[in-house]
Amino acid sequence: MLDELERDKPHEECAVFGIFGHKDAVPLTILGLHALQHRGQEACGIISSNGNHFQMKKAIGLVGDNFNKPAIIDQLAGYCAIGHNRYSTTGASDYKNIQPLYADFDFGGAAIAHNGNLVNGLQLRGDLVDNGRIFSSTTDTEVILQLIAMVKGHITDRLKYALSRVKGAFALLCMTKDCLIGVRDSLGIRPLMLGKFNGKYVLSSESVGFDIIGAKFERMVEPGEMVVITESGLQSIQITPKRRARTCLFEYVYFARPDGIIDGINIYQARKQMGRQLAMESRVSADVVVPIPDSGTPSALGFAEESGIGFDLGIIRNHYVGRTFIEPTAAIRHLGVKLKHNANRSVLRNKRVVLVDDSLVRGTTASKIVKMVRDIGAKEVHFRLASPQVLFPDFYGIDMPTKQELLANNYSMKEMIDFLGVDSLEFLSLDGLYRALGEKDGRDKQNPQFTDHYFSGDYPISVVGHDAPKDELSYMQVVA
Amino acid sequence: MLDELERDKPHEECAVFGIFGHKDAVPLTILGLHALQHRGQEACGIISSNGNHFQMKKAIGLVGDNFNKPAIIDQLAGYCAIGHNRYSTTGASDYKNIQPLYADFDFGGAAIAHNGNLVNGLQLRGDLVDNGRIFSSTTDTEVILQLIAMVKGHITDRLKYALSRVKGAFALLCMTKDCLIGVRDSLGIRPLMLGKFNGKYVLSSESVGFDIIGAKFERMVEPGEMVVITESGLQSIQITPKRRARTCLFEYVYFARPDGIIDGINIYQARKQMGRQLAMESRVSADVVVPIPDSGTPSALGFAEESGIGFDLGIIRNHYVGRTFIEPTAAIRHLGVKLKHNANRSVLRNKRVVLVDDSLVRGTTASKIVKMVRDIGAKEVHFRLASPQVLFPDFYGIDMPTKQELLANNYSMKEMIDFLGVDSLEFLSLDGLYRALGEKDGRDKQNPQFTDHYFSGDYPISVVGHDAPKDELSYMQVVA
Amino acid sequence: MLDELERDKPHEECAVFGIFGHKDAVPLTILGLHALQHRGQEACGIISSNGNHFQMKKAIGLVGDNFNKPAIIDQLAGYCAIGHNRYSTTGASDYKNIQPLYADFDFGGAAIAHNGNLVNGLQLRGDLVDNGRIFSSTTDTEVILQLIAMVKGHITDRLKYALSRVKGAFALLCMTKDCLIGVRDSLGIRPLMLGKFNGKYVLSSESVGFDIIGAKFERMVEPGEMVVITESGLQSIQITPKRRARTCLFEYVYFARPDGIIDGINIYQARKQMGRQLAMESRVSADVVVPIPDSGTPSALGFAEESGIGFDLGIIRNHYVGRTFIEPTAAIRHLGVKLKHNANRSVLRNKRVVLVDDSLVRGTTASKIVKMVRDIGAKEVHFRLASPQVLFPDFYGIDMPTKQELLANNYSMKEMIDFLGVDSLEFLSLDGLYRALGEKDGRDKQNPQFTDHYFSGDYPISVVGHDAPKDELSYMQVVA
Amino acid sequence: MLDELERDKPHEECAVFGIFGHKDAVPLTILGLHALQHRGQEACGIISSNGNHFQMKKAIGLVGDNFNKPAIIDQLAGYCAIGHNRYSTTGASDYKNIQPLYADFDFGGAAIAHNGNLVNGLQLRGDLVDNGRIFSSTTDTEVILQLIAMVKGHITDRLKYALSRVKGAFALLCMTKDCLIGVRDSLGIRPLMLGKFNGKYVLSSESVGFDIIGAKFERMVEPGEMVVITESGLQSIQITPKRRARTCLFEYVYFARPDGIIDGINIYQARKQMGRQLAMESRVSADVVVPIPDSGTPSALGFAEESGIGFDLGIIRNHYVGRTFIEPTAAIRHLGVKLKHNANRSVLRNKRVVLVDDSLVRGTTASKIVKMVRDIGAKEVHFRLASPQVLFPDFYGIDMPTKQELLANNYSMKEMIDFLGVDSLEFLSLDGLYRALGEKDGRDKQNPQFTDHYFSGDYPISVVGHDAPKDELSYMQVVA
């Protein structure tokens, strides 16, 4: 029930966080991962090091539920640490896929954590298996680890080789006994940024990872840049040509926490602006603007400001929802959506409601929320989405439904209006979205500023063959 | 760290939920308790019955984490069930105090769950112990159970006797093999309401317990009313004189979920009105109204509407905070407040900020949030509280600091301004609060409509002697 | 499967251990309970005290699996402690019945642990419930606790009063903030003994509890004696007339560990002597004497010595059997007995085997073992039991089958031989058993030295009414 | 404390069990592993298959504690399964090393479990790592898995290649989607045998694995033989030259369960014969022969029979000892040995005692037992070991102390007598041991029948370089 709710939104698969050379590296990494929890709640892991040796802890569930004991901090103690949050669809059996991954090499150990997806990961894995490599996970991360093992030399050279073989989007951290490395893919699709805490370098998927510990944001890791942090400081190696970042639009639309900044763009203000732009593009006569919380709230505020219609909390969210919940009996199965949302009668009754959300993917939860809003007595429901129709699947690390499950790919506007049961339905235009993000002329078709294939069909990295579902990569299932 | 954050707010100690005569009684009770989770997150319990026998499950933690397996629903199976959420300060060792409580009597078994506090509980317990009664918990609930055991006759007569001995505030559920009873204290301080689901009666602390299962709200249980639900229907017994409910003001100010109604008053609209009233009473020249989420949001919206100052989310809350978190090392201990809240720079920087919260009790978290807001670059911080100064302790079931810890009780306005580090500080007047709740003339001093001693010192039930801390009631500690 | 195996033997329900005034009271009690683990493996508990306050830990399972962490010892820390091992038939749901029990009184707290059974426990409980007492367990121990609560005065006077009301067999420990009390029932049916460790008094069900910690056995607690241990030393109070102990015969036959001494009789030598006596009474022509391990081993050794037939380990026991095991599919259900025992082919094949066990109760496991011995190739199987036929049920604390399930009560010798599939079957005579225990003239019918009703029908304490199954005492079941 | 006790004996590292083509493959494997539990108690694992897919469950602890739920059997359901018991010194952190191991190959999945040790495992691992292979465990088993991955072709050819590269002792099982393979090392050092259950083939380390399920022992797997079991039956491939098995002597002396047969030799009768031979070689005038249970019991029986001195249980063993136990405070640390053994006063007091054990390795536990026997009042203690002095370390899979810790390697007979505190000390001669195993002329120096390097220094497989401790193979430690 909950799964359906959660999976009705696209999901980023990961967050990474790392720090080098601080005696509190482990508690700081725990806090950093906690601040990045919104990017993945299924599993988390930390690997730390104190020079030669490494300690690892992985767990199913939230950071705050698994890394909350002083004894764990003591056992992990190290001056260098990297951590990872993971969203996953397959549950406890996936224990083997929790990151960071680790391997012993001739030069010592190395740990890797990454956020993103390789479009040629399956092909590379096949080649490696054909050449006698044994995999112990089904992650792309292990493909990179295996490639690192195939060449000799310093870890930076090995990593350069490995990354020259892979194609895809990633923000990657690698830790050895004497360095912490961060790399961002050549287009900068996934975010990765550099901060400083008490003079020590920190790497994080989002700036909120710095905020929680009081670290100072320094700068974005650039597309194709490898930053190598050692005791002697930071070295920057540009492994692919310099270019402006073409960040994934969904970071601004949905993934990133509103209180952050990615590639110079303030997320909260961008989302409010998307709401304002949406109001400009799709005027409506109504009594109240109501966000679907929490993701629709900033754009609903912007919509309300621009439209002059009052903003009110017409839907209340229950935040005490764990990862799993009861599978209710048949008699009460339809109640599912209410585990998380409840209609606020006094705001909605007899009102013409503008319902605002950030995006529409499958539409199943949205249709239930609309029904709940109608049942409580709303007179009209006008649904506004602060992003364009999602028409194309993603292959760069977003856990999004297949093409067949994308509502906008299968239904006409008229059919969507019927399916959702709304009085009107409008999406922000792609040009409008670009404008909200500061591109005054909208999307530059020749050289678009962002990665936007799910809206435009314009894939910046060509996908190699058919990317098989990862759960078919192994014939083996771990029983909990 | 978290404890400090949480405990800086007053805490209601419980929620109750019960249903009689439905084959899905257990899953419905689970859902009801989930909707009432905000009233207590430390522990939860359900007792069900199928005529003669009873099944009980109690757990430390959230409903959704402990009652989420089909096997548990199967084991608890019954057509009648009552459940309880509990807030507690003492952790796992308190397992023995998780409600509902159960006892075997000559007529069979009975289970009791209650929300509230008895002001003569300690005295009664002392008398009972002197008379050779053995207690297995330190709860008031067991006092009621012992009193029930002392007389003969039908459970309704026994319960009437027991309640004639106790003084205090309570919403109480009692389940035997053939009936479900709900009672509300003579003043109606704690809420309890009656609903119907598929023709079966349901009892809940708040209406959101009905919403989640699609039950229909019927009416409040009246002050001093005992509703007895059996197979033949509902019988109402007025055990103390009829009167209008004098509900606890803090239900409206903070405890209840905004999407509910108590004694005819819509919580969300009331809170917005408190914000409006507050704006009228304490005008300020500023750039932005920022709520301390989530409790300050409705009143901040009202404040913004009334004052004409824009509303914005200047503080972002991280909802992935479990019950416990790391005890950070000394070096990072001051980061605590950021586990839950982060300042949203783009909203606050160089702004004159009106910070709105529902109430101020200890002030320690507030002072940290103000510091965070200032550190991010706010030019001015004007703190507005949508309720009066909390000057007096509570004895009717709110877990509130002692008088010595109440900020307003110890500090002058000037001192509070210094302590909090704000540019100005204003509280809603008590009359203003009454007005926001529909009393046009403010508080009627002779016959006030609500229970408001924490603001006024006017205790509707006199406290008997000194109410000793409950953890001193037993010499024994259970080791987990 | 395993349950069947285990329950085919009678079971003592408990062991008790206590120590007063030693800084290592808790680890010493853990060790003592470990040495007494054979008397009960289902659950264990310890309550400790450091003057005014008490700490309690209870657990399902073995002492060594639950009290094995330094942190637990630290949390329980006290200079006085009592502990209890419990055998139980009902599993995790019985958590509430794990001893020791605790209650707060006007004089402070008191903890009680006891081994045995009250024949009027049910009646007393009924009276107490009728008088408004609430029970939180279904144990006899709580009856004693309730009786203690009913009178005033010093704990010794209260306990004297309580014990004057109860009838039955018991070895009881009671701990308050300033004393440790041990009492043995008026006939001395259940054993309890006094030892000294580093000058401090220790109480234990068996002497092996002293051996493990290196304590010195001082003497048995006498029938009807209450020993009160305080800082000023030991005081002995005779609460019923002095008499020679009439110890339960099954302690010598089966319950007690062979390396102990009870009421002056060495268990191992007594069992060997039972085997010798059995050989004298029932000569047989055979090739090898084989014990059913471990309980049949000492008497088999005695039988072999007396008969001159060689002793050999024809059945090997697998000790790695936990409390529960798989419920095999239908296809392999009959394999159950082999979880614990395997036939040793080289010893049994083509041999005339004398199989020796201590006692025969239900006979179901025995029949499976005989079949296993025959299947492996034994030519003849002569079954010899080192105790008489069990014909009557027990009411003094042994967990034994009902009369209907006792093989010897329902079958003639001829029928038993057929049921078991043996070539011959002989039991030690009751006179022979007495002789093995040093009564040269056998059993004195007027004044028998031991409690032996299961063999003789001679109940030393008359049973009051019908003793209902304890699991019917409560209408409530705890769901794990 | 316990660790010391346990580790004072040599330890076999593993047991393997497998079955092909039976619908109850998983419960049968659980039972088989349970019967083989004595060969390893630290961890256990099972991998099952139903044609194409595989399921795996691994756990720290005993089979009976971890594979005892019907749900687990359901989840693992398959018609083919292999399982493994493991002894290990390093605890929970070793989770990654629990067998069976699994890998995906181009032909599908394969699982491997093995008992034994490779003397060139470290060297091979080093070569593989140099060639870019990543290891996810530190086991020899993974070396074999990596070698299988390096070549193409059918699994039997791959396995032949892999085994042609390794040197050492092993009994190995390998399962793919359509076959179960068993291989025994070229000398047959570790045992592996073939049985049949309901027409289906079963493989087990010992015959007791067959006994528990009622399978019929067929024959030993021969040295250097690979048996390949498929739907079409069994195929035998001799991968190294045929020869008579040179089984590890310690299987007969200590490891194997007494109720089994290895390479035609009955373990129980062999041990009794060792005791008889020992009595012939070292006559002594004494009152009683006492075994150190359980391992010394059969040889003590043989010693008693041959010497004519009576056999008695002078030491009683407590079997309720879990894997870990308390770390007692300093005051009671010396009590450790009594967790497992207690002296039986009536047997030992004032007696001249012959104490018999199977072997002597470190001697620390033996010295404590001797002290306990003396303290209880034994007049003389004559210690007899039913095997020769252990002078040399093992490299073929026995977890034995280093040379420095072997008592006999460091002490003269005179010094050992002093260290142990005995009146006399005698070991069975190596020739005597061979005679007890049926070699009438004792050990054939040219062509010894058994692997006996720990006694003789005669290593049948030369050790390559220095075999580094396995825990140094990885720089990484998993935190539980």
Side-chain angles (χ1 to χ4, degrees), chain C residues 24 34 64 67-68 211 259 266 268-269 272 312-313 318-320 324-326 329 331 338-339 342 346, chain D residues 24 34 64 67-68 211 259 266 268-269 272 312-313 318-320 324-326 329 331 338-339 342 344 346:
Chain C
D24 290 322
H34 169 62
F67 288 86
N68 56 1
D211 293 346
D259 44 341
N266 180 288
Y268 179 74
Q269 299 301 352
K272 281 192 71 175
D312 241 336
L313 302 179
N318 182 347
H319 284 101
Y320 299 107
T324 56
F325 212 85
I326 56 163
T329 60
K338 295 193 174 168
L339 288 177
N342 194 23
S346 69
Chain D
D24 290 321
H34 169 63
F67 288 86
N68 56 0
D211 294 345
D259 43 343
N266 181 287
Y268 179 75
Q269 298 301 352
K272 282 194 68 174
D312 242 335
L313 302 178
N318 182 347
H319 284 102
Y320 300 106
T324 55
F325 212 85
I326 55 163
T329 58
K338 294 194 176 169
L339 287 178
N342 193 23
N344 194 356
S346 68

Side-chain angles (χ1 to χ4, degrees), chain B residues 202-258:
Chain B
V202 193
L203 290 161
S204 175
S205 287
E206 294 184 28
S207 57
V208 292
F210 302 148
D211 295 345
I212 195 171
I213 60 170
K216 201 171 147 284
F217 170 82
E218 289 283 308
R219 63 173 179 86
M220 296 300 295
V221 174
E222 297 299 324
E225 183 189 10
M226 173 188 284
V227 294
V228 183
I229 302 162
T230 62
E231 291 225 338
S232 34
L234 182 141
Q235 184 195 3
S236 167
I237 305 172
Q238 193 67 30
I239 61 172
T240 61
K242 277 208 173 195
R243 56 157 296 155
R244 196 174 153 190
R246 195 174 163 188
T247 319
C248 171
L249 264 187
F250 252 114
E251 292 285 349
Y252 300 109
V253 168
Y254 172 75
F255 296 150
R257 253 177 60 176

Side-chain angles (χ1 to χ4, degrees), chain D residues 270-304:
Chain D
R271 287 183 189 163
K272 282 194 68 174
Q273 194 57 37
M274 293 171 205
R276 280 192 207 98
Q277 187 73 30
L278 178 62
M280 284 187 264
E281 292 186 5
S282 64
R283 297 278 170 201
V284 61
S285 182
D287 302 315
V288 62
V289 173
V290 165
I292 298 187
D294 292 336
S295 57
T297 305
S299 37
L301 279 169
F303 192 103

Side-chain angles (χ1 to χ4, degrees), chain A residues 40-220:
Chain A
Q41 299 97 46
E42 171 104 359
C44 50
I46 290 178
I47 295 184
S48 62
S49 176
N50 239 333
N52 240 346
H53 282 80
F54 295 77
Q55 296 82 38
M56 172 172 84
K57 181 176 167 65
K58 297 179 173 184
I60 302 292
L62 300 181
V63 175
D65 290 338
N66 287 289
F67 288 86
N68 56 0
K69 301 247 169 60
I72 290 167
I73 298 176
D74 288 351
Q75 287 174 283
L76 286 173
Y79 74 91
C80 189
I82 64 174
H84 189 268
N85 286 331
R86 176 166 205 273
Y87 173 81
S88 152
T89 60
T90 50
S93 62
D94 241 0
Y95 189 88
K96 64 179 186 290
N97 285 341
I98 303 175
Q99 298 195 37
L101 295 191
Y102 173 89
D104 291 295
F105 296 93
D106 46 2
F107 63 80
I112 295 198
H114 108 298
N115 164 22
N117 193 56
L118 305 184
V119 296
N120 65 339
L122 192 66
Q123 192 189 57
L124 287 169
R125 184 187 167 101
D127 293 350
L128 287 161
V129 168
D130 283 351
N131 281 286
R133 263 69 189 183
I134 293 176
F135 279 71
S136 52
S137 79
T138 59
T139 61
D140 282 349
T141 319
E142 193 176 1
V143 170
I144 299 173
L145 218 45
Q146 295 270 10
L147 290 170
I148 289 174
M150 288 183 68
V151 289
K152 299 290 178 191
H154 191 263
I155 182 65
T156 52
D157 296 318
R158 289 168 176 250
L159 200 50
K160 259 190 273 186
Y161 165 76
L163 297 178
S164 73
R165 295 281 307 273
V166 309
K167 295 172 64 176
F170 51 83
L172 181 145
L173 300 189
C174 174
M175 178 178 70
T176 67
K177 63 182 172 185
D178 44 26
C179 71
L180 169 64
I181 300 172
V183 198
R184 194 172 172 199
D185 66 76
S186 62
L187 296 174
I189 296 176
R190 301 265 77 87
L192 183 62
M193 45 197 84
L194 188 70
K196 262 195 167 173
F197 178 74
N198 289 356
K200 305 298 181 182
Y201 285 106
V202 192
L203 289 161
S204 175
S205 288
E206 293 185 27
S207 56
V208 291
F210 302 149
D211 294 345
I212 196 172
I213 61 171
K216 201 172 147 285
F217 170 83
E218 290 281 309
R219 63 173 179 86
M220 297 300 295

Side-chain angles (χ1 to χ4, degrees), chain B residues 423-435:
Chain B
D423 295 287
S424 75
L425 170 70
E426 298 287 348
F427 293 86
L428 179 58
S429 69
L430 187 50
D431 278 328
L433 177 52
Y434 270 77
R435 277 187 201 103

Side-chain angles (χ1 to χ4, degrees), chain C residues 31-188:
Chain C
L31 291 168
L33 290 180
H34 169 62
L36 298 167
Q37 190 77 77
H38 61 287
R39 293 180 80 89
Q41 299 97 47
E42 172 104 358
C44 49
I46 290 178
I47 294 183
S48 62
S49 176
N50 239 332
N52 240 347
H53 281 79
F54 295 77
Q55 296 83 36
M56 172 173 84
K57 181 176 166 66
K58 297 178 174 184
I60 302 291
L62 300 182
V63 175
D65 290 339
N66 287 291
F67 288 86
N68 56 1
K69 302 244 170 58
I72 290 167
I73 298 177
D74 288 352
Q75 288 174 282
L76 285 173
Y79 74 92
C80 189
I82 65 174
H84 189 269
N85 286 330
R86 178 167 202 274
Y87 172 82
S88 153
T89 59
T90 51
S93 62
D94 241 0
Y95 188 88
K96 66 180 185 289
N97 286 339
I98 303 176
Q99 298 194 37
L101 294 191
Y102 173 88
D104 292 295
F105 297 94
D106 46 3
F107 62 82
I112 295 199
H114 108 299
N115 164 21
N117 194 54
L118 305 185
V119 295
N120 66 339
L122 191 65
Q123 193 189 55
L124 288 169
R125 184 187 167 100
D127 293 349
L128 287 161
V129 167
D130 282 351
N131 282 286
R133 263 69 190 185
I134 293 176
F135 279 72
S136 52
S137 78
T138 58
T139 62
D140 282 348
T141 318
E142 192 176 1
V143 170
I144 299 174
L145 218 45
Q146 295 271 10
L147 290 170
I148 288 174
M150 287 182 69
V151 289
K152 299 289 176 191
H154 191 263
I155 182 65
T156 51
D157 296 318
R158 289 167 177 252
L159 200 50
K160 259 190 273 185
Y161 165 75
L163 297 178
S164 74
R165 296 281 306 272
V166 309
K167 295 173 64 175
F170 52 82
L172 181 146
L173 300 189
C174 174
M175 177 177 72
T176 67
K177 63 181 172 184
D178 45 25
C179 70
L180 169 63
I181 300 171
V183 197
R184 195 172 171 197
D185 66 75
S186 63
L187 295 174

Side-chain angles (χ1 to χ4, degrees), chain A residues 320-461:
Chain A
Y320 300 106
V321 179
R323 274 195 54 250
T324 56
F325 212 85
I326 55 163
E327 302 171 20
T329 59
I332 56 172
R333 203 179 307 278
H334 64 284
L335 306 172
V337 74
K338 295 193 175 167
L339 287 177
K340 250 185 151 169
H341 296 104
N342 194 24
N344 194 357
R345 175 189 304 258
S346 67
V347 168
L348 302 169
R349 190 162 177 75
N350 290 324
K351 295 285 173 50
R352 294 171 302 163
V353 177
V354 184
L355 211 56
V356 180
D357 205 356
D358 64 286
S359 59
L360 186 70
V361 181
R362 268 196 189 89
T364 43
T365 299
S367 72
K368 286 174 183 170
I369 287 175
V370 169
K371 183 174 183 315
M372 186 169 70
V373 168
R374 283 214 183 272
D375 287 351
I376 208 85
K379 220 160 52 184
E380 295 175 15
V381 179
H382 302 275
F383 200 15
R384 295 294 178 271
L385 284 309
S387 63
Q389 299 181 33
V390 176
L391 295 162
F392 304 92
D394 177 78
F395 301 104
Y396 313 139
I398 304 178
D399 180 39
M400 212 190 263
T402 61
K403 204 163 172 177
Q404 288 68 39
E405 296 168 294
L406 294 171
L407 192 71
N409 182 61
N410 292 286
Y411 281 23
S412 68
M413 275 301 275
K414 173 72 180 60
E415 289 168 334
M416 284 196 275
I417 285 172
D418 288 352
F419 174 82
L420 295 167
V422 293
D423 294 287
S424 76
L425 171 69
E426 298 288 348
F427 293 86
L428 179 59
S429 69
L430 187 49
D431 278 329
L433 178 52
Y434 270 78
R435 276 187 201 102
L437 290 163
E439 303 291 301
K440 288 187 181 142
D441 302 324
R443 184 178 194 261
D444 178 347
K445 286 203 178 61
Q446 303 314 313
N447 188 19
Q449 176 53 27
F450 301 101
T451 290
D452 60 9
H453 49 283
Y454 17 77
F455 303 132
S456 68
D458 173 7
Y459 288 88
I461 304 169

